Amino acid sequence: MMKTQVRRPVIDMKFRDEFRAKHPGAICLFQTGSFYEAFHDDAITCGQRLGLTVTKIDKHSANPIPMAGFPSHHKDMYVAKLAQCGYRVVIHEQE
């Protein structure tokens, strides 16, 4: 039997930073396959406010990137929770 690994699309960090700069003060969520993910400070905020586990991209590098995410079918629930906490949420949907 042959096993294949399914890789989720990866958000380009340059794109993420440019998108984030266009929406200062907002929590930015990015759709990556069947998940929504937040990075950097947004990931830490989502971890604290939503009870999500914060992991790190490139965790063995000198500058690991915090990341938190959740399955897409929970989007409405988590966005509502962030809004109830007073956060503005901006979502980048995959094309």
Side-chain angles (χ1 to χ4, degrees):
M1 178 192 311
M2 190 171 164
K3 291 185 180 182
T4 58
Q5 287 186 337
V6 177
R7 292 185 56 154
R8 292 194 330 225
V10 176
I11 293 293
D12 178 297
M13 284 298 128
K14 182 179 178 199
F15 171 79
R16 183 260 172 222
D17 292 341
E18 290 170 356
F19 186 83
R20 182 81 177 91
K22 292 178 186 177
H23 304 285
I27 299 290
C28 294
L29 299 174
F30 297 86
Q31 183 184 18
T32 55
S34 60
F35 285 82
Y36 286 90
E37 296 178 344
F39 303 93
H40 298 288
D41 292 343
D42 294 341
I44 294 167
T45 299
C46 287
Q48 293 169 342
R49 298 296 184 179
L50 303 175
L52 300 175
T53 299
V54 177
T55 61
K56 294 185 189 230
I57 298 172
D58 215 8
K59 65 183 174 184
H60 299 296
S61 76
N63 297 307
I65 300 168
M67 178 184 78
F70 54 85
S72 60
H73 62 274
H74 290 303
K75 176 180 82 169
D76 294 340
M77 177 184 69
Y78 283 129
V79 169
K81 284 183 179 183
L82 288 169
Q84 288 172 350
C85 292
Y87 293 99
R88 186 169 55 92
V89 180
V90 178
I91 299 172
H92 180 271
E93 301 282 350
Q94 261 181 336
E95 298 175 2

